[in-house]
Amino acid sequence: MEQDVLPRTAAPAPAARRTQLAQGVRDSFSAGLGIFPLGIALGLLIIQAGLPWWLAPALSLAAFAGSLELLLVGMMATVTPLAAVALTVLVVNFRHVFYAFSFPLHLVRHPVAKAYAVYAMIDEAYAVSASLREHERSAPRLLAMQIACETYWVGGGLVGVALGAALPAPVKGLEFALCALFTVLTLDAFRSRKELPSLVLAGASAAVALVVTPGMAMFTALLLFVGLLLARHAVSARRSVQGAASA
Amino acid sequence: MPSSSYLIAVLAIVFSITLALRAAPFAVLGRLRDSAIVQRLAVWMPVGILAILAVTALHGTITSDAHGAWYALLAVTVTIGVHLAFGRRTILSVCAGTAVYVVLLNSL
């Protein structure tokens, strides 16, 4: 466990806060490289599906969850029953349940800011904050990053809508930035050999999920991973009890 | 074209379920914060969840453009290489990897 070296003050000085806000915006740039093009793709998709343009910002504000929104456009265009929509949302976004374990919400004091931080807890926000060390984190930094990400996402959607079908062939593959970002953040979160068991268990979960349920690999992989971590906890708890008994 | 009331109903469903999934665990965890299992999971989870996000994002990229599978693997290698070689500058690494993928996918 890392301890803060400096005593934590109740309210940071204005200069410190400005630095933290700037750090948060800087954190958001790499995520924005993936989020903004994906937003454009969403806007284009909405126009191509014959849906009204206002759906791009409305959906981005209501859901604020990239992969789900791309999925929903197709479902809405074919007027999928609401129960099926609800089930899809539940399955696709179920992973957010696990983010709470290590998302630094305790740093955010103000109730409105707290509510926003939870609402805006997207994959990228979780990933960026999870790769920071405890002493690097702060509420202004976290919130600035989240607000910037939402701006990229809604802005990208509006740009996509504006471009409409006018673009003959938009540049393909920009969404790869998200894959690159998650790869880099995994490297940053892997700080010592202590992380190796988690990484191996996650790798095994992902491999099994991709083979067994390729259509919903992330959902299955996260469930398996959490199951394996619970098993690991049970094993290490028993081992420490035995160690205490034999000592 | 679907009616506006249908679209608004979808928006309401999406908003409430997503927010509930994000908020509910915090309400439960608040009371469990001192339990050993929650503290362990908080330490163990991030690197694994990030790895799962990376693998499934790569899988998504490959399935959406199957002929770009090798480009994607090459781009991931470039991303990792740049990140380790040039002092872990996230934006530089992400840009380099993405540029490799986009250039290969659109020009070959």
Side-chain angles (χ1 to χ4, degrees):
Chain A
M1 277 283 131
E2 286 184 58
Q3 296 290 323
D4 281 352
V5 179
L6 297 168
R8 190 168 289 165
T9 46
R17 171 173 293 192
R18 216 172 302 134
T19 312
Q20 290 165 346
L21 288 173
Q23 283 172 333
V25 173
R26 203 161 52 229
D27 289 343
S28 75
F29 288 156
S30 51
L33 280 174
I35 295 175
F36 190 71
L38 209 61
I40 295 180
L42 177 75
L44 286 171
L45 204 62
I46 283 176
I47 297 301
Q48 281 167 14
L51 294 165
W53 71 269
W54 55 262
L55 203 58
L59 193 57
S60 298
L61 291 170
F64 197 18
S67 47
L68 173 74
E69 291 176 42
L70 293 168
L71 208 64
L72 283 177
V73 172
M75 298 184 84
M76 283 193 274
T78 54
V79 198
T80 307
L82 293 176
V85 170
L87 187 67
T88 306
V89 177
L90 194 65
V91 170
V92 174
N93 274 351
F94 192 73
R95 62 180 184 278
H96 295 301
V97 164
F98 305 125
Y99 291 174
F101 285 92
S102 31
F103 190 73
L105 188 67
H106 56 277
L107 295 177
V108 185
R109 298 271 164 75
H110 194 280
V112 175
K114 224 176 173 98
Y116 179 78
V118 172
Y119 151 80
M121 192 179 64
I122 56 170
D123 296 334
E124 293 80 4
Y126 170 81
V128 169
S129 75
S131 69
L132 292 179
R133 290 157 193 270
E134 184 65 34
H135 67 88
E136 294 173 324
R137 295 166 163 174
S138 68
R141 184 172 185 172
L142 178 69
L143 290 165
M145 183 262 291
Q146 290 186 291
I147 291 169
C149 285
E150 182 149 30
T151 310
Y152 305 145
W153 182 231
V154 175
L158 289 173
V159 170
V161 163
L163 290 175
L167 264 188
V171 177
K172 286 187 299 176
L174 283 172
E175 309 82 34
F176 180 82
L178 283 185
C179 179
L181 175 67
F182 292 141
T183 304
V184 163
L185 293 176
T186 307
L187 285 177
D188 287 347
F190 188 84
R191 296 190 195 101
S192 67
R193 282 178 51 188
K194 273 194 306 192
E195 317 273 7
L196 198 58
S198 288
L199 200 61
V200 170
L201 294 179
S205 308
V208 170
L210 285 175
V211 172
V212 179
T213 60
M216 39 189 274
M218 191 198 281
F219 179 70
T220 312
L222 285 172
L223 274 188
L224 280 175
F225 178 56
V226 172
L228 288 170
L229 285 187
L230 290 175
R232 183 183 168 197
H233 171 75
V235 169
S236 64
R238 186 181 309 161
R239 209 177 278 159
S240 64
V241 167
Q242 283 171 349
S246 64
Chain B
M1 178 153 141
S3 67
S4 292
S5 56
Y6 169 79
L7 294 178
I8 288 165
V10 169
L11 292 177
I13 288 173
V14 169
F15 176 76
S16 23
I17 295 181
T18 305
L19 190 59
L21 286 172
R22 286 176 184 167
F26 287 109
V28 179
L29 288 176
R31 271 170 273 144
L32 299 176
R33 188 143 310 274
D34 295 328
S35 83
I37 189 160
V38 168
Q39 286 179 0
R40 276 221 173 106
L41 286 181
V43 174
W44 286 347
M45 279 177 128
V47 73
I49 288 184
L50 290 170
I52 289 172
L53 289 176
V55 170
T56 49
L58 178 64
H59 179 248
T61 301
I62 290 175
T63 42
S64 71
D65 252 308
H67 75 281
W70 289 109
Y71 308 154
L73 290 176
L74 178 67
V76 168
T77 313
V78 169
T79 307
I80 295 173
V82 169
H83 199 60
L84 297 180
F86 295 94
R88 293 179 178 258
R89 282 144 66 187
T90 305
I91 296 175
L92 177 72
S93 321
V94 171
C95 279
T98 309
V100 167
Y101 182 71
V102 169
V103 167
L104 289 175
L105 192 68
N106 287 280
S107 62
L108 297 178

PDB file of all heavy atoms in Angstrom, chain A residues 228-245, chain B residues 35-38 40 44:
ATOM      1  N   LEU A 228     -12.060 -16.122 -11.014  1.00  0.00           N
ATOM      2  CA  LEU A 228     -10.710 -16.617 -10.719  1.00  0.00           C
ATOM      3  C   LEU A 228     -10.066 -15.827  -9.578  1.00  0.00           C
ATOM      4  O   LEU A 228      -9.370 -16.397  -8.737  1.00  0.00           O
ATOM      5  CB  LEU A 228      -9.835 -16.532 -11.975  1.00  0.00           C
ATOM      6  CG  LEU A 228     -10.171 -17.551 -13.078  1.00  0.00           C
ATOM      7  CD1 LEU A 228      -9.414 -17.229 -14.358  1.00  0.00           C
ATOM      8  CD2 LEU A 228      -9.833 -18.962 -12.603  1.00  0.00           C
ATOM      9  N   LEU A 229     -10.319 -14.507  -9.536  1.00  0.00           N
ATOM     10  CA  LEU A 229      -9.758 -13.701  -8.439  1.00  0.00           C
ATOM     11  C   LEU A 229     -10.368 -14.106  -7.097  1.00  0.00           C
ATOM     12  O   LEU A 229      -9.677 -14.142  -6.080  1.00  0.00           O
ATOM     13  CB  LEU A 229      -9.991 -12.209  -8.691  1.00  0.00           C
ATOM     14  CG  LEU A 229      -9.122 -11.536  -9.746  1.00  0.00           C
ATOM     15  CD1 LEU A 229      -9.367 -10.034  -9.752  1.00  0.00           C
ATOM     16  CD2 LEU A 229      -7.652 -11.823  -9.540  1.00  0.00           C
ATOM     17  N   LEU A 230     -11.670 -14.418  -7.112  1.00  0.00           N
ATOM     18  CA  LEU A 230     -12.311 -14.863  -5.868  1.00  0.00           C
ATOM     19  C   LEU A 230     -11.698 -16.184  -5.415  1.00  0.00           C
ATOM     20  O   LEU A 230     -11.436 -16.385  -4.219  1.00  0.00           O
ATOM     21  CB  LEU A 230     -13.826 -15.004  -6.067  1.00  0.00           C
ATOM     22  CG  LEU A 230     -14.585 -13.685  -6.250  1.00  0.00           C
ATOM     23  CD1 LEU A 230     -16.055 -13.945  -6.555  1.00  0.00           C
ATOM     24  CD2 LEU A 230     -14.452 -12.807  -5.007  1.00  0.00           C
ATOM     25  N   ALA A 231     -11.423 -17.083  -6.378  1.00  0.00           N
ATOM     26  CA  ALA A 231     -10.778 -18.354  -6.045  1.00  0.00           C
ATOM     27  C   ALA A 231      -9.381 -18.095  -5.484  1.00  0.00           C
ATOM     28  O   ALA A 231      -8.969 -18.708  -4.484  1.00  0.00           O
ATOM     29  CB  ALA A 231     -10.694 -19.237  -7.288  1.00  0.00           C
ATOM     30  N   ARG A 232      -8.669 -17.158  -6.103  1.00  0.00           N
ATOM     31  CA  ARG A 232      -7.324 -16.816  -5.636  1.00  0.00           C
ATOM     32  C   ARG A 232      -7.366 -16.270  -4.207  1.00  0.00           C
ATOM     33  O   ARG A 232      -6.516 -16.603  -3.372  1.00  0.00           O
ATOM     34  CB  ARG A 232      -6.731 -15.767  -6.584  1.00  0.00           C
ATOM     35  CG  ARG A 232      -5.318 -15.365  -6.254  1.00  0.00           C
ATOM     36  CD  ARG A 232      -4.857 -14.267  -7.209  1.00  0.00           C
ATOM     37  NE  ARG A 232      -3.606 -13.671  -6.742  1.00  0.00           N
ATOM     38  CZ  ARG A 232      -3.128 -12.498  -7.166  1.00  0.00           C
ATOM     39  NH1 ARG A 232      -3.817 -11.804  -8.061  1.00  0.00           N
ATOM     40  NH2 ARG A 232      -1.998 -12.028  -6.716  1.00  0.00           N
ATOM     41  N   HIS A 233      -8.389 -15.450  -3.944  1.00  0.00           N
ATOM     42  CA  HIS A 233      -8.546 -14.912  -2.598  1.00  0.00           C
ATOM     43  C   HIS A 233      -8.776 -16.040  -1.595  1.00  0.00           C
ATOM     44  O   HIS A 233      -8.165 -16.066  -0.525  1.00  0.00           O
ATOM     45  CB  HIS A 233      -9.716 -13.930  -2.560  1.00  0.00           C
ATOM     46  CG  HIS A 233     -10.083 -13.479  -1.183  1.00  0.00           C
ATOM     47  ND1 HIS A 233      -9.335 -12.575  -0.481  1.00  0.00           N
ATOM     48  CD2 HIS A 233     -11.100 -13.849  -0.362  1.00  0.00           C
ATOM     49  CE1 HIS A 233      -9.873 -12.392   0.707  1.00  0.00           C
ATOM     50  NE2 HIS A 233     -10.941 -13.146   0.802  1.00  0.00           N
ATOM     51  N   ALA A 234      -9.639 -17.002  -1.968  1.00  0.00           N
ATOM     52  CA  ALA A 234      -9.936 -18.116  -1.074  1.00  0.00           C
ATOM     53  C   ALA A 234      -8.670 -18.917  -0.786  1.00  0.00           C
ATOM     54  O   ALA A 234      -8.400 -19.284   0.358  1.00  0.00           O
ATOM     55  CB  ALA A 234     -11.020 -19.010  -1.697  1.00  0.00           C
ATOM     56  N   VAL A 235      -7.868 -19.162  -1.837  1.00  0.00           N
ATOM     57  CA  VAL A 235      -6.634 -19.943  -1.667  1.00  0.00           C
ATOM     58  C   VAL A 235      -5.651 -19.211  -0.763  1.00  0.00           C
ATOM     59  O   VAL A 235      -5.103 -19.782   0.184  1.00  0.00           O
ATOM     60  CB  VAL A 235      -5.992 -20.233  -3.050  1.00  0.00           C
ATOM     61  CG1 VAL A 235      -4.584 -20.795  -2.870  1.00  0.00           C
ATOM     62  CG2 VAL A 235      -6.865 -21.199  -3.835  1.00  0.00           C
ATOM     63  N   SER A 236      -5.449 -17.904  -1.026  1.00  0.00           N
ATOM     64  CA  SER A 236      -4.437 -17.190  -0.244  1.00  0.00           C
ATOM     65  C   SER A 236      -4.915 -16.974   1.195  1.00  0.00           C
ATOM     66  O   SER A 236      -4.111 -16.943   2.115  1.00  0.00           O
ATOM     67  CB  SER A 236      -4.063 -15.870  -0.907  1.00  0.00           C
ATOM     68  OG  SER A 236      -5.170 -15.013  -0.934  1.00  0.00           O
ATOM     69  N   ALA A 237      -6.238 -16.846   1.404  1.00  0.00           N
ATOM     70  CA  ALA A 237      -6.757 -16.714   2.761  1.00  0.00           C
ATOM     71  C   ALA A 237      -6.507 -17.999   3.546  1.00  0.00           C
ATOM     72  O   ALA A 237      -6.069 -17.973   4.700  1.00  0.00           O
ATOM     73  CB  ALA A 237      -8.251 -16.396   2.719  1.00  0.00           C
ATOM     74  N   ARG A 238      -6.733 -19.173   2.876  1.00  0.00           N
ATOM     75  CA  ARG A 238      -6.516 -20.447   3.564  1.00  0.00           C
ATOM     76  C   ARG A 238      -5.034 -20.621   3.893  1.00  0.00           C
ATOM     77  O   ARG A 238      -4.655 -21.068   4.956  1.00  0.00           O
ATOM     78  CB  ARG A 238      -7.008 -21.599   2.685  1.00  0.00           C
ATOM     79  CG  ARG A 238      -6.953 -22.939   3.386  1.00  0.00           C
ATOM     80  CD  ARG A 238      -7.426 -24.067   2.509  1.00  0.00           C
ATOM     81  NE  ARG A 238      -8.722 -23.790   1.891  1.00  0.00           N
ATOM     82  CZ  ARG A 238      -9.178 -24.432   0.819  1.00  0.00           C
ATOM     83  NH1 ARG A 238      -8.455 -25.348   0.241  1.00  0.00           N
ATOM     84  NH2 ARG A 238     -10.351 -24.124   0.305  1.00  0.00           N
ATOM     85  N   ARG A 239      -4.172 -20.205   2.914  1.00  0.00           N
ATOM     86  CA  ARG A 239      -2.737 -20.356   3.115  1.00  0.00           C
ATOM     87  C   ARG A 239      -2.263 -19.514   4.307  1.00  0.00           C
ATOM     88  O   ARG A 239      -1.454 -19.960   5.102  1.00  0.00           O
ATOM     89  CB  ARG A 239      -2.000 -19.917   1.843  1.00  0.00           C
ATOM     90  CG  ARG A 239      -0.677 -20.653   1.657  1.00  0.00           C
ATOM     91  CD  ARG A 239      -0.030 -20.237   0.348  1.00  0.00           C
ATOM     92  NE  ARG A 239      -0.553 -20.940  -0.809  1.00  0.00           N
ATOM     93  CZ  ARG A 239      -0.447 -20.479  -2.050  1.00  0.00           C
ATOM     94  NH1 ARG A 239       0.103 -19.321  -2.271  1.00  0.00           N
ATOM     95  NH2 ARG A 239      -0.925 -21.182  -3.069  1.00  0.00           N
ATOM     96  N   SER A 240      -2.802 -18.282   4.440  1.00  0.00           N
ATOM     97  CA  SER A 240      -2.340 -17.450   5.545  1.00  0.00           C
ATOM     98  C   SER A 240      -2.844 -17.985   6.878  1.00  0.00           C
ATOM     99  O   SER A 240      -2.181 -17.859   7.897  1.00  0.00           O
ATOM    100  CB  SER A 240      -2.777 -15.996   5.328  1.00  0.00           C
ATOM    101  OG  SER A 240      -4.175 -15.903   5.353  1.00  0.00           O
ATOM    102  N   VAL A 241      -4.034 -18.648   6.872  1.00  0.00           N
ATOM    103  CA  VAL A 241      -4.521 -19.272   8.105  1.00  0.00           C
ATOM    104  C   VAL A 241      -3.608 -20.431   8.497  1.00  0.00           C
ATOM    105  O   VAL A 241      -3.186 -20.560   9.645  1.00  0.00           O
ATOM    106  CB  VAL A 241      -5.972 -19.767   7.924  1.00  0.00           C
ATOM    107  CG1 VAL A 241      -6.366 -20.691   9.059  1.00  0.00           C
ATOM    108  CG2 VAL A 241      -6.931 -18.595   7.835  1.00  0.00           C
ATOM    109  N   GLN A 242      -3.219 -21.259   7.488  1.00  0.00           N
ATOM    110  CA  GLN A 242      -2.317 -22.377   7.762  1.00  0.00           C
ATOM    111  C   GLN A 242      -0.967 -21.871   8.253  1.00  0.00           C
ATOM    112  O   GLN A 242      -0.387 -22.421   9.197  1.00  0.00           O
ATOM    113  CB  GLN A 242      -2.117 -23.220   6.502  1.00  0.00           C
ATOM    114  CG  GLN A 242      -3.296 -24.128   6.215  1.00  0.00           C
ATOM    115  CD  GLN A 242      -3.190 -24.805   4.861  1.00  0.00           C
ATOM    116  OE1 GLN A 242      -2.336 -24.454   4.052  1.00  0.00           O
ATOM    117  NE2 GLN A 242      -4.067 -25.760   4.614  1.00  0.00           N
ATOM    118  N   GLY A 243      -0.482 -20.772   7.601  1.00  0.00           N
ATOM    119  CA  GLY A 243       0.809 -20.206   8.002  1.00  0.00           C
ATOM    120  C   GLY A 243       0.762 -19.748   9.451  1.00  0.00           C
ATOM    121  O   GLY A 243       1.698 -19.984  10.223  1.00  0.00           O
ATOM    122  N   ALA A 244      -0.361 -19.118   9.827  1.00  0.00           N
ATOM    123  CA  ALA A 244      -0.488 -18.627  11.200  1.00  0.00           C
ATOM    124  C   ALA A 244      -0.561 -19.798  12.179  1.00  0.00           C
ATOM    125  O   ALA A 244      -0.021 -19.740  13.279  1.00  0.00           O
ATOM    126  CB  ALA A 244      -1.735 -17.750  11.322  1.00  0.00           C
ATOM    127  N   ALA A 245      -1.215 -20.913  11.750  1.00  0.00           N
ATOM    128  CA  ALA A 245      -1.381 -22.053  12.643  1.00  0.00           C
ATOM    129  C   ALA A 245      -0.038 -22.752  12.886  1.00  0.00           C
ATOM    130  O   ALA A 245       0.238 -23.210  13.990  1.00  0.00           O
ATOM    131  CB  ALA A 245      -2.393 -23.044  12.040  1.00  0.00           C
TER     132      ALA A 245
ATOM    133  N   SER B  35     -13.383  -4.577   4.194  1.00  0.00           N
ATOM    134  CA  SER B  35     -13.256  -6.029   4.134  1.00  0.00           C
ATOM    135  C   SER B  35     -12.026  -6.422   3.327  1.00  0.00           C
ATOM    136  O   SER B  35     -11.649  -5.765   2.350  1.00  0.00           O
ATOM    137  CB  SER B  35     -14.518  -6.639   3.530  1.00  0.00           C
ATOM    138  OG  SER B  35     -14.453  -6.590   2.139  1.00  0.00           O
ATOM    139  N   ALA B  36     -11.398  -7.514   3.742  1.00  0.00           N
ATOM    140  CA  ALA B  36     -10.146  -7.944   3.112  1.00  0.00           C
ATOM    141  C   ALA B  36     -10.364  -8.250   1.630  1.00  0.00           C
ATOM    142  O   ALA B  36      -9.526  -7.916   0.794  1.00  0.00           O
ATOM    143  CB  ALA B  36      -9.615  -9.180   3.827  1.00  0.00           C
ATOM    144  N   ILE B  37     -11.503  -8.852   1.318  1.00  0.00           N
ATOM    145  CA  ILE B  37     -11.711  -9.286  -0.062  1.00  0.00           C
ATOM    146  C   ILE B  37     -11.852  -8.084  -0.999  1.00  0.00           C
ATOM    147  O   ILE B  37     -11.293  -8.073  -2.094  1.00  0.00           O
ATOM    148  CB  ILE B  37     -12.921 -10.243  -0.149  1.00  0.00           C
ATOM    149  CG1 ILE B  37     -13.001 -10.865  -1.540  1.00  0.00           C
ATOM    150  CG2 ILE B  37     -14.223  -9.551   0.169  1.00  0.00           C
ATOM    151  CD1 ILE B  37     -13.812 -12.123  -1.569  1.00  0.00           C
ATOM    152  N   VAL B  38     -12.555  -7.043  -0.551  1.00  0.00           N
ATOM    153  CA  VAL B  38     -12.720  -5.858  -1.393  1.00  0.00           C
ATOM    154  C   VAL B  38     -11.378  -5.167  -1.609  1.00  0.00           C
ATOM    155  O   VAL B  38     -11.037  -4.744  -2.712  1.00  0.00           O
ATOM    156  CB  VAL B  38     -13.759  -4.892  -0.779  1.00  0.00           C
ATOM    157  CG1 VAL B  38     -13.726  -3.539  -1.479  1.00  0.00           C
ATOM    158  CG2 VAL B  38     -15.145  -5.494  -0.867  1.00  0.00           C
ATOM    159  N   ARG B  40      -8.406  -6.539  -1.534  1.00  0.00           N
ATOM    160  CA  ARG B  40      -7.591  -7.365  -2.429  1.00  0.00           C
ATOM    161  C   ARG B  40      -8.035  -7.176  -3.876  1.00  0.00           C
ATOM    162  O   ARG B  40      -7.213  -6.993  -4.771  1.00  0.00           O
ATOM    163  CB  ARG B  40      -7.746  -8.837  -2.049  1.00  0.00           C
ATOM    164  CG  ARG B  40      -6.839  -9.264  -0.936  1.00  0.00           C
ATOM    165  CD  ARG B  40      -6.278 -10.648  -1.255  1.00  0.00           C
ATOM    166  NE  ARG B  40      -5.269 -11.020  -0.290  1.00  0.00           N
ATOM    167  CZ  ARG B  40      -5.477 -11.931   0.671  1.00  0.00           C
ATOM    168  NH1 ARG B  40      -6.648 -12.538   0.769  1.00  0.00           N
ATOM    169  NH2 ARG B  40      -4.516 -12.238   1.500  1.00  0.00           N
ATOM    170  N   TRP B  44      -5.940  -6.183  -7.187  1.00  0.00           N
ATOM    171  CA  TRP B  44      -5.723  -7.202  -8.222  1.00  0.00           C
ATOM    172  C   TRP B  44      -6.378  -6.866  -9.551  1.00  0.00           C
ATOM    173  O   TRP B  44      -5.926  -7.300 -10.608  1.00  0.00           O
ATOM    174  CB  TRP B  44      -6.282  -8.550  -7.741  1.00  0.00           C
ATOM    175  CG  TRP B  44      -5.439  -9.196  -6.694  1.00  0.00           C
ATOM    176  CD1 TRP B  44      -4.169  -8.841  -6.333  1.00  0.00           C
ATOM    177  CD2 TRP B  44      -5.796 -10.319  -5.868  1.00  0.00           C
ATOM    178  NE1 TRP B  44      -3.718  -9.673  -5.341  1.00  0.00           N
ATOM    179  CE2 TRP B  44      -4.692 -10.582  -5.028  1.00  0.00           C
ATOM    180  CE3 TRP B  44      -6.936 -11.115  -5.761  1.00  0.00           C
ATOM    181  CZ2 TRP B  44      -4.694 -11.626  -4.101  1.00  0.00           C
ATOM    182  CZ3 TRP B  44      -6.944 -12.150  -4.847  1.00  0.00           C
ATOM    183  CH2 TRP B  44      -5.831 -12.390  -4.013  1.00  0.00           C
TER     184      TRP B  44
END
